[in-house]
Amino acid sequence: MPFYLEIIICLSLIIGASFLFIGSYGLIRLPDIYMRLHSPTKASTLGITGVLVASMIFQSYEKGGFSVQELLITLFLLITAPIAANMIAKTALHHKIKPLKRTQNQDLIDSICEREEPKKADEKSV
Amino acid sequence: MQHLSIFPILIPLLFGAIMLLPPISRELQSQRISAIIGTLFLLISSATLLITVDQEGTQLYALGGWQAPFGIALVADRVSSLLVLLTSFIAFAIMLFAISGKDKGGAYFHPLFMFQVMGINGAFLTGDIFNLFVFFEVLLIASYALLLHAGGKQKTQSAMHYVLLNLVGSSLFLFGLGILYGTLGTLNMADMAIKIGQLEGETTTIAKTGALLLLIVFGLKAAMLPMHFWLPRTYASASAPVAALFSIMTKVGIYSIFRVYTVIFGDEAGELANIAQNWLWPLALLTIAAGSIGAFASPNLKTLNANLVIVSSGSLLVCAALNSEGATSAALYYMVHSTLASAGLFLLADIIARQRGKAEDRIVHSRPFSQPRLIGFAFALSAMTLIGMPPLSGFVGKIMILQATQSMAQTLWIWPLIIISSLAALIALSRAGTTFFWRHNGSPSTDDIAAKPTEIAGIALLILASPLLVLFGGELSEFTQQAANHLHSIQSSAYSLLPGVTP
Amino acid sequence: MLDITITFVAAIICIALFLNLWRLLQGPTLSDRILALDTMYINAIALILLYGISSSSALYFEAALLIAMLGFVSTAALCKYLLRGDIIE
Amino acid sequence: MKLFPMPFHSILLFVVWLLLNNSFSAGHIVLATFFAIGIPLLVGDMRDEHPKIQKPWLAIKYVLMVLKDIVSANIEVALLIIGPVYRLSPGFVAVPININSDLGITVLASTVSLTPGTVSAEVSKDKKWLYIHTLHLMNEAKLVEEIKSRYESPIKEIFGC
Amino acid sequence: MEGIYAFCVGLLTACGIFLTLRGRSFSVVIGLTLLSYAVNLFLFASGRLKLNAAAVLGQSEQYSDPLPQALVLTAIVIGFAMTAFAVILAMRARADLGNDHVDGTLPSNNEDSQRSGGQH
Amino acid sequence: MNTLIWLPFLPLLGTLIPLFSSRYSRTACAFYTAALPALTLFLVLSYAGDIFQGERFQAAIPWIPNIGLELAFRLDGLALLFSILILGIGLLVILYARYYLSEKDPIGKFYAFLILFMFAMLGVVLSDNLIQLWFFWELTSISSFLLISFWGHKTEARKGARMALTVTGAGGLALLAGLLVLGNTVGSYSLQVVLDSGDLIKSSSNYPVIVVLVLLGAFTKSAQFPFHFWLPNAMAAPTPVSAYLHSATMVKAGIFLMARFYPALADTNLWFLIVSLTGLATFLMGAYIALFQHDLKGLLANSTISHLGLITLLLGMGTDLAAVAAVFHIINHAIFKASLFMAAGIIDHESGSRDMRQLNGLWKYMPYTATLAMVASASMAGVPLLNGFLSKEMFFTETLHQASLGSLSWIIPVLATLGGALAVAYSTRFIHDVFFNGEPINLPKTPHEPPRYMRVPVEILVGLCLLVGIFPGFLAGDLLASAASATLNGPIPEYSLSIWHGFNLPLLMSAIAVVGGLIVYKNRSHMFKFQAQFPKSNPLMVFEASVQFVTRQAGTLIRFTENGSLQRYIFAVLGLMVIMTISTLVKLNTTAGLRPEIPVDAMTITAAFLLCVSALATVIWHRKRVVALITLSVVGLIVSLAFAQFSAPDLALTQLSVEVVTVILLILALFFLPQKTPKESHPRIVIRDLSIASLIGGIIGTICYAIMTRPLDTISTFFTANSKTGGGGTNVVNVILVDFRGFDTLGEITVLGIAALGIYKLIARMRLFMPSSDGKGRPWSDDKHPILLSVISQSLLPLALLVSAYIFLRGHNLPGGGFIAGLITSVAIIQQYIAHGVIWIKTRLKLDYQILIGSGIGIATLSGLGSWAFGHAFLSSWFDYFYLPAIGKFELASAMIFDLGVYLTVVGATMLILANLGQLTTSERPVLKEDE
Ligand code: NA
Ligand code: NA
């Protein structure tokens, strides 16, 4: 395998792995479920893309043709990850899980749960 | 005919599948007609198979054209074809019974029945141990579904135990298969028989654990103590045709024990020769005892009959423990006899329960029967068969078993138990019979509960088979003798079942 | 170089999986656990692809694809269960 | 019945088939065509009516933009995660939306989830509000404005709703 | 590697067996599922472990034993069918008998079970 | 064929006659019924001449040679004697019963049972084969059961019959064992061989066993002490039955057995001790008890017991003359006892009572019957000029001619005299209490003479009493001689049948007996008072109570073992498994084999750690069900990764897809199950379960390790070698599945299909628990179909279908195949159900899942059947490569059609399960079709 390819593969692998790691790390580190949602949804999608790119290049080289199958995985993840995040957020909200204290607009949570339009600030104060 | 050996599997499979498809799936009547036609075809082909095997010897059928041990082979020898014919016969009789209305009360009765028959026949015919597992599962899953036919709390409760226990059993089966494949590297039973003798060193010990695991699995199916607990409640709660069909299911376990422990772990298995027998001895005898005690304690006819199934299992296990041609021959005869008898009584118990109003089949006084003569006659025949009283078939089987003991120790253990179990059956069944037919109050029900002609025909086929087994006992026992002879010689002539390899 | 990178990356992904497991065990809410499981699916895909690279085999792609497809369904079903109890209605 | 009830999907399926098989051989092109026609016919009924893509080029442009945003979103979020957590200031935001199609709303919500620091948490019953959670909420009004201008309007344009 | 593998199989078996011995149908089903994982891994291992040796002609230099794999595949499918049946039967039992105990009756003199009985 | 073979079967044929002729008239029925027995008797008698000359007739045809059973009959003196008794008295009973039974009684059934019994008895006495003898022996038990319980609506009849059956049945089983041992000892089941092998038998170590077992059979049947108790309770039978069974036939079967095996078994100390002492005890006890009976038939029954004891005692003595005396008394007892039973029946019939405290002074009302009865009684008492006297004289003589008890041998004649006295006493009571002794008390009917022909049988029998008593040699000489000779299997001793032997000790004993008997009768009031001190124990009650007791104990035991606890049942299975495997595994010295292990890497450790922790977490949290489900998913995921790592991509794919479907299924089910599991296992149980679980885990782990580290020589090389050339595919696993072992796969999809059908059955009638809130009491969300999920799912469906097509088509050559493709399709459809709900799908997806299953299995089967057309075996595959312009080379294989069947079944089954389960809560829930 030419050196430049190896470099590219390694780089994408390392970048991918870093993002994957950060995604999982955030899952541990962030203080509430709503914040944790962000980390795998985003960091992981990019992370997996990195690994996929590495795989694509590697397999293309190995087969001597081109291998773009891996794109499909990315496609699937891009389509589904937001929906999964949305579903998980819905469950958290449905279970009335308290967000971090300093979260802004916590008063919205009731409306979100009821899927109503947001109550206006002035209405609330009345 | 070239494909004869696979007919007993394919016919029920195809009929089962066709019954799921329109137009047959839409009408109960057309399902009934095709079920009768299917079981009749099955009966004819099984009988033809038996005759062919008897005349031309063992029929090997290499599925997919792949010769054993690489492909799956069906082995129709005297043993398997006899049991296949038995299955087909009771299937036909039971189906005759069922089409009078017992097939109502839930969907898919007929296809499930067909699939169960297919599973049983497959288990008898296959020569491959993993394929045996598959057919075990076919017959089990069909039996689970059939057990629940027509619903009711009782059924649900007993099905729960039956299903979960068998799931554990299936797991053990696979563990056992894994061990055997991991040590022998083959799945064909004849090939295993050869390879088992070639095992060396500690691999032998590992293979032995596998063999014992299988013994547990087969023992569970055969209701061997301490794994018989599930049977009485399960059989007693099943609807009549299902319980009747179940009467062959314990025999599948017994058959597997004979197949595996005389063919693979038989006399020529070197260090692993006859490993099951030491375990079978005490367990078989205890099984007889447990069944007899259960028969004594049974509050109703179905439970009583179920306990007698346990007794018959115990007796058959004794034959397996005896491990001789005579014992195997006895077992084969006894198997045919006891399957027919208990199937017949399960069907009859349904008519009895139906005509006795609220008392059902409990052994308490009740209103009189609306067909006392017919039912009484059938019951008497049934009971005598099961007790083992002449002139019905039980006595021949019993004598064959008693004659099969060879040493003093064997005799001292087996004879008293067999005899006491007969006495227990005698007492229990005579108590049931006198109560049913003579302890009455009130008048017969005026509802239309009389046994219908096809019901009578089904029961008659099963019950009247018994005197025929005695009348033609000479021929039949000669056949079982030859079958036993064959079974015990497979191990030494295993290469004849393996066209794919040369010694 | 590729070998060393693969070992290194594998180690990182393994740590990531440990972290997911930690979250899965820790909870505290069911949503957290489902999220952890969902993340695990993604890390597993990465691991499979990495294994494919290290063993120069393309046979593992389908497994990764299936995890991507089916993992989502199971996440969605679990969430629907928490929301509605009845997932098919 | 139309031959291509779902033209966008037909193209997608055609491409995906070739991707899956890593092959542009004649045989696969035939198969890809077969599936591109066959599967939509098969599942044509299993769909609600959705607006068609009116401006394909805009759609492609939009996709590229989102891809770019995803990359930056990832980096941004990664930095936020490894940075000091106590500085994060999360918050919920209600974004008023004005898209008349479920598909459009879904695309918008997905985009929002994939892009910087936001996750779509809920859509109100009347489909007029998209609730999002932000990891680091600095300026609510600006965020709402950015979502509406950067994502919502192109989507409306693409689907013409 | 074989040691770790065997340990995992053993542990899965133990976990499965323990849950299978519980009293509530759902636990038993979970236990049987774990047990079937163990069974499948065990059966698979009877062909011995090999790395980079998928039994696809031309894709690897050596081939792992394909036969146990085929067996496990069959076992997985059958296991699925059985588990599915058991699960639904558990539901049915709950519906028919009013509780989810595998025996259809709640063990007597048990405060815990009585407390939970009122929950539904 | 020899007519001998037909002898017993003629009456059997006759069993049907009464059933069909009873519709005409009772007389006609009796007449037709009697025809075949009469013919049989005629045939039997036709042999008599030759037999008296010392000939023996035998005939046999093979039946079941494997068990030593042949259809073999012999007609010798003993058989002739018994045949004449059975048929002769049988004919009289037929006539008698015609008048005895009332209009209400089904006479056809009665006669049928009677003839059946006659057939069985004839079979017993004519048998020339041990097994056949037992065969008929058991038939007598059954047919007598039917006769005794003829009035089954009466409790005593039912219970009495059951007791008789139980006791004689038990004896029959012992007899079977005895006969089998006997046959084994001799090496033949032929009676003649056995009879000729007396010495061999007696010197065999089996001899005591044989004697005990055979005698158990004989004693139970002949109501010998301590098995006598069933006989009095069998008196619940109609009197004709008693007259037949309890005088001449059934109870004599035991006697017959002892006589039959006399040459083979008798004449040893053991035989003497058992037989004569039992006989003596029975003789005395029966006579004593007879004295205290108030019931006429009770008296006769106990007298029968006593007389049977007498005969047994004679047979036990072991001398040839005693045997002759025994045979003679068999004849005499049969004659007088049958007539007495019939007389008792007449009295009962005409007066409505059998209680001797009510029956008094009947002489006035029925003098003719009274005379007959009195003659017969006198014979029973052993009064001279009657037949009973002769054999009793012989009996007394024989008691004097033995010395078996050594210096105590005198006891036997003394006790015999005592028994004789008791016999005189109860006979006197029968005569005096019934026919004299004042006026009848409260009889239900006014007694009168019976119908003319009802008396005829009695007249004949009483006539015989007199004739034999007066002309013994002329009437019974030949018969007795030939019977005795057959009994002894050799020449008979010198004896004289004359009435008068001069004044001798036996005559004195007779005199003492008569005088003593009269004295006893005179002082009966004292004796009744004495007897009244003892608590009355009804054997029937005792028997019933003991059966009840055993039943109860059995019930208790069964309730203890089969306590309905699945946990215990599973534990039993596992316990057995532990015992069996550990007992083997301890012999495994080295766990690790010689096969080199794969080095460990970080990835594996991580996966293993994840697996173990999740599995443990599943166990620890199994009571929090949703959490357990999530950890279970992790386990499933790791298992698939393990398959992937160890070179099984197909397995990985399958495991993954099955995993998801399983999780969905469990989630669906969880809705209807409690959300949490209560903590209910006792800590002791938990520890027990933990121990056995760890044990089994350890065992399985050890075996697994031991196997993996040992090399294996397997048949699999065949598959890799032939996969491409023979199966046309490069994915060996798939080729095995669809070709080499396609039959397994066919079974497997059948299982799946059946499971779906079964599940449908389960669901169709399910009542529902639908929780309105989750485990923590939170109400469910009102968002049924989240909008984002709905929209995305619609877009995913075509993609998922494409992927499943891809997986399907590549399966033969690369990982994939119909099964995985089917699961992917199902998951995609399920996803639509989850996202959109049932109603939405219902209007859009018109798939009948049942048809999918049926056609899937059908297609798979038909693809296998296709090969028949080419003369190949089922499931033989074909494949070929084709060339199309522009497309190029491609392969078509029958295996793909098979795989299509798999695909369809999987989709059908999975969807039938999941969709119907999902639909439960909706208006589309499956319901039972009306016609099913
Ligand atoms: Na629903
Ligand atoms: Na539902």
Side-chain angles (χ1 to χ4, degrees), chain F residues 232-468:
Chain F
N233 288 290
M235 293 299 131
T239 302
V241 173
S242 311
Y244 194 41
L245 269 61
H246 305 139
S247 67
T249 52
M250 155 120 148
V251 294
K252 289 280 165 58
I255 303 291
F256 168 80
L257 195 70
M258 285 187 274
R260 186 84 277 184
F261 288 110
Y262 192 84
L265 300 177
D267 207 16
T268 62
N269 265 333
L270 183 72
W271 173 272
F272 165 77
L273 276 176
I274 299 178
V275 177
S276 59
L277 291 186
T278 305
L280 185 62
T282 313
F283 172 51
L284 290 171
M285 192 203 56
Y288 181 75
I289 296 177
L291 200 52
F292 299 101
Q293 299 298 310
H294 298 302
D295 180 13
L296 264 184
K297 282 178 76 178
L299 185 151
L300 292 176
N302 282 292
S303 130
T304 302
I305 293 173
S306 173
H307 281 274
L308 294 169
L310 187 156
I311 301 170
T312 305
L313 175 56
L314 279 168
L315 287 170
M317 285 179 186
T319 60
D320 291 355
L321 276 172
V324 175
V327 172
F328 195 26
H329 200 67
I330 288 171
I331 304 174
N332 295 331
H333 175 255
I335 295 173
F336 67 67
K337 195 51 65 67
S339 62
L340 277 172
F341 268 119
M342 287 181 187
I346 290 174
I347 293 166
D348 181 16
H349 200 248
E350 305 307 336
S351 69
S353 172
R354 300 190 323 224
D355 191 329
M356 284 186 279
R357 287 164 298 189
Q358 290 178 295
L359 297 166
N360 295 314
L362 291 191
W363 172 261
K364 268 186 266 174
Y365 302 92
M366 35 172 51
Y368 191 73
T369 306
T371 314
L372 292 173
M374 279 152 65
V375 174
S377 299
S379 176
M380 174 162 77
V383 172
L385 292 185
L386 293 167
N387 60 349
F389 169 76
L390 296 171
S391 46
K392 196 159 80 181
E393 261 334 71
M394 288 169 91
F395 165 60
F396 283 156
T397 315
E398 286 316 303
T399 58
L400 292 167
H401 292 161
Q402 49 77 41
S404 333
L405 291 181
S407 60
L408 289 176
S409 299
W410 57 269
I411 286 186
I412 292 182
V414 170
L415 291 177
T417 316
L418 174 64
L422 290 171
V424 171
Y426 64 68
S427 305
T428 314
R429 180 161 183 233
F430 187 91
I431 295 168
H432 185 251
D433 273 22
V434 174
F435 299 110
F436 308 99
N437 201 18
E439 281 301 303
I441 303 165
N442 287 334
L443 284 182
K445 296 191 211 165
T446 312
H448 54 76
E449 290 285 357
R452 175 71 197 94
Y453 288 103
M454 194 175 182
R455 257 183 357 230
V456 169
V458 191
E459 287 165 1
I460 293 173
L461 290 168
V462 169
L464 280 173
C465 284
L466 275 164
L467 289 171
V468 173

Side-chain angles (χ1 to χ4, degrees), chain D residues 18-141:
Chain D
L18 298 177
L19 283 183
L20 271 171
N21 290 287
N22 282 328
S23 161
F24 288 111
S25 71
H28 277 301
I29 288 175
V30 170
L31 276 177
T33 316
F34 172 76
F35 288 121
I37 297 171
I39 291 181
L41 288 179
L42 206 62
V43 301
D45 286 341
M46 299 271 284
R47 277 183 79 74
D48 291 325
E49 271 309 305
H50 290 301
K52 299 273 162 7
I53 296 174
Q54 310 285 330
K55 300 188 172 169
W57 289 114
L58 186 56
I60 291 167
K61 213 177 110 194
Y62 180 81
V63 168
L64 291 175
M65 177 187 78
V66 171
L67 285 176
K68 195 194 101 211
D69 286 358
I70 290 173
V71 175
S72 63
N74 271 289
I75 295 167
E76 201 172 306
V77 169
L79 291 175
L80 285 175
I81 293 169
I82 44 177
V85 169
Y86 62 89
R87 279 205 206 138
L88 292 179
S89 159
F92 290 96
V93 177
V95 182
I97 46 175
N98 184 21
I99 302 178
N100 291 329
S101 116
D102 286 358
L103 181 60
I105 293 172
T106 307
V107 173
L108 176 63
S110 298
T111 314
V112 166
S113 286
L114 288 170
T115 51
T118 48
V119 164
S120 306
E122 191 57 284
V123 178
S124 71
K125 276 179 202 159
D126 57 8
K127 297 174 185 172
K128 297 279 180 229
W129 296 89
L130 175 68
Y131 291 103
I132 61 178
H133 181 267
T134 42
L135 192 56
H136 191 51
L137 180 58
M138 311 277 279
N139 184 337
E140 192 179 332

Side-chain angles (χ1 to χ4, degrees), chain C residues 12-68:
Chain C
I12 289 183
I13 296 174
C14 287
I15 296 171
L17 278 167
F18 277 115
L19 296 176
N20 299 153
L21 181 68
W22 174 255
R23 179 50 73 201
L24 191 122
L25 298 178
Q26 182 73 20
T29 66
L30 279 169
S31 313
D32 283 298
R33 297 187 210 272
I34 296 176
L35 181 59
L37 178 65
D38 199 48
T39 315
M40 234 180 220
Y41 285 133
I42 293 177
N43 285 326
I45 296 173
L47 205 56
I48 289 184
L49 291 171
L50 196 63
Y51 190 68
I53 296 176
S54 84
S55 61
S56 329
S57 166
L59 293 173
Y60 302 100
F61 162 74
E62 283 73 23
L65 181 66
L66 278 202
I67 297 181

Side-chain angles (χ1 to χ4, degrees), chain C residues 6 10-11 13-15 17-18 21 24-26 30 33-34 37 40-41 44 47-48 50-51 54 58-67 69-74 76-78 80-89, chain F residues 603 606 609-610 613 617 621 626-627 630-631 633-634 637 641 644-645 649 653 656-657 660 664 667-668 670-671 675 780-784 789 796 800 803 806-807 810 814-815 824 827 831 833-834 837-838 914 918 921-922:
Chain C
I6 286 173
I13 296 174
C14 287
I15 296 171
L17 278 167
F18 277 115
L21 181 68
L24 191 122
L25 298 178
Q26 182 73 20
L30 279 169
R33 297 187 210 272
I34 296 176
L37 178 65
M40 234 180 220
Y41 285 133
L47 205 56
I48 289 184
L50 196 63
Y51 190 68
S54 84
L59 293 173
Y60 302 100
F61 162 74
E62 283 73 23
L65 181 66
L66 278 202
I67 297 181
M69 280 175 67
L70 304 177
F72 166 67
V73 179
S74 113
L78 278 167
K80 180 92 193 277
Y81 172 75
L82 294 188
L83 287 170
R84 293 279 308 159
D86 187 11
I87 64 170
I88 296 178
E89 48 194 348
Chain F
M603 239 190 253
T606 310
F609 183 80
L610 251 62
V613 171
W621 284 333
V626 188
V627 183
I630 295 173
T631 50
S633 305
V634 179
L637 179 66
L641 292 183
Q645 189 192 357
L653 297 182
L656 274 171
S657 30
V660 174
I664 291 174
I667 296 173
L668 275 169
L670 202 50
F671 180 57
Q675 310 294 303
W780 301 117
S781 152
D782 62 353
D783 193 5
K784 279 190 175 182
L789 184 63
L796 285 180
V803 170
Y806 166 72
I807 295 277
R810 74 200 295 268
L814 288 163
I824 295 173
V827 172
Q831 164 84 2
Y833 274 98
I834 295 175
V838 172
L914 294 178
T921 53
T922 71

Side-chain angles (χ1 to χ4, degrees), chain B residues 3 13 128 163 194 239 282 324 358 378 418 427 487 492 500:
Chain B
H3 303 293
L13 174 63
D128 183 283
V163 171
I194 291 171
S239 74
S324 64
K358 263 192 257 166
I418 297 270
I427 295 174
L487 196 67
S492 50

